[in-house]
Amino acid sequence: MATSVVHWERREDSGWQKYDDAATAAIKAAEGAGQGSVQIVDRGTTCQLVFAQEGPKQVNPITGYRRNARRIVNPIGSNPGQAAVQWEWFDGNNWEAYPPEISVRVEAAREAGEAECDFTTLYGQDFRIEFGVDAWQTINGKQQPVRKVTTTLSPPPSAPAPTPPAGGFLSNIAGMVLRRSARLAGLAPGAQVPGTSANAPPAGPSSPSTSSAKEPEDEDEAPLSAVDFPMDGSVHPSLLRTIKNPDDEDCVVCYESLRDKPAVRLMLCKHEYHLECIKKCFAQKPKCPTCMRAYGVRTGNQPENGTLTVKTYTYEQAKHACVALEGHEGSGVIVINYSFPHGVQGPNHPNPGTHYSGTNRVAYLVDDAQGREVLALLRTAFKRRLTFTVGRSQTTGRDNQVVWSGIHHKTHPYGGAAQHGYPDETYHARVKAELAEFGVTA
C-alpha cells in the first residue's frame, strides 16, 4: 500500500528550501496537535511558524520579517529516490500541492487521455480539473491554473510514516485544499464547499476554518471609531471591529493572549489582534500581518517625474515591428513604455539630495481580456508610485538608480519565463498576485 512523506519548506529569495529534520518534526507535532503556531529554530535563529488562514508563515519575532512556508506531501513508491509526479494549483500567491490521493487520480486521467478529471459527484459541487494546452482547476465556475511537476523523492525518515487521516478524499488535507479554493472562488459564507459535509470530520489545523478566521458574530463585535483608530485616513475604522469576548488565543504580533488587552477583528480577512499591535503594524504597512490582505491605499517612493505610455499593435503590425509574442501567434500586443529622466532624490529615498540616474523600460502584454486587465492594474500601480523605486541596480551593481520595485514585467517578447519573456502560462496570475501584495486589486 502506498504511503507518503511529508516535509515542510520555507520561501527564500532563491526559491523553496526544506526545513531541517528538527524543525520539520516540531512543525508536524504542532500541526497534529491543532496548535495555531509553533516555535522553531531555522539556521540558528529562533522563529515562529504560524498556521495562518492564507497559508503558513515563518515569522522572525525580533524583526517581524515574514516568509511563506508550505507543507509538501510526496507519494512514495517502492524505491526512494525515484521520480514522482505531483499536481499543484495556483492560489493567487503560491503553488500549492494537492494531496496524494487527488494527484494520483488527476495523473491517471491525464495519462488515459481524458479531457478532464471530474470530482463533482464525489464532492457534491462543481469541481473539475481540465486538460488542454494549459491545465485549469474549476470550482463553481472559478478557474485557477494547475500544473504537473516531477520531484525526486527523498528516502522516508526512520520513524514510521503517520497513518493518513480517515476518509480518503475527505481527509483533512484534501478538505483544506478545497475549502481554500472555494473561498477564492467566492462561495457565500456558510455554503457547503467541496470536501466537506454535515458528517465530515472537523477541519485540520492548517485549514482556513480555524478560530482565527471565524465568521463575525454581531453580538461579539462593536464598531471602531476614528478616535480609537486614528490612521490619517489611510485605513478606515469601519474595516475593523472591537471584540467584546475574544478567544483565549495569542496575538501573533506580541504573542500575548488576546484577552489581556483590547482586541480587534479585521473585517476583510477576520484575523484578530490587539488594537495597539495592529496600530503599529498598520503604521508601517496597511496590511494584515498574517495574510497580507491590504487595508489601505499603499503608495511608494517612485520618482514623480516618470511617464507611462501605451501603444497597441495588431498581430501583423507586431510582426512587422518585431514585437510579436512567442506562443501567442495571431494575438495583438500591448507595449508599455516607462521613462524616467535623471533627478534628485527626495526625503523618502535612500540618499536625499543625491542625484539619481533615470531609466527607460519597455514591457509587453498580450492584447486580450487578461492582458488589458493587467494593464489597468499596472496603470494604477504606476499612479500610486509603486512600480519603480530608487536603489541599487541588480544588473550593474550601481547605487542611486531608478529600479523595479518588485512588480514583475515581461520585458522581452520571447525567451520564456527564464528571460522575462513569453510564453509563460502563469504570468497573469502571478503578476496579479504581486499587485495584490501592493494593494492594487482594481
Side-chain angles (χ1 to χ4, degrees), residues 181-194:
S181 298
R183 188 181 70 254
L184 291 166
L187 291 182
Q192 182 185 354
V193 299

Side-chain angles (χ1 to χ4, degrees), residues 318 323-329 332-333 364-367 412-414 422:
V323 294
L325 305 183
E326 184 179 347
H328 293 275
E329 288 72 18
V333 179
Y364 303 89
L365 292 168
V366 182
D367 190 6
H412 294 90
Y414 50 83
Y422 291 91

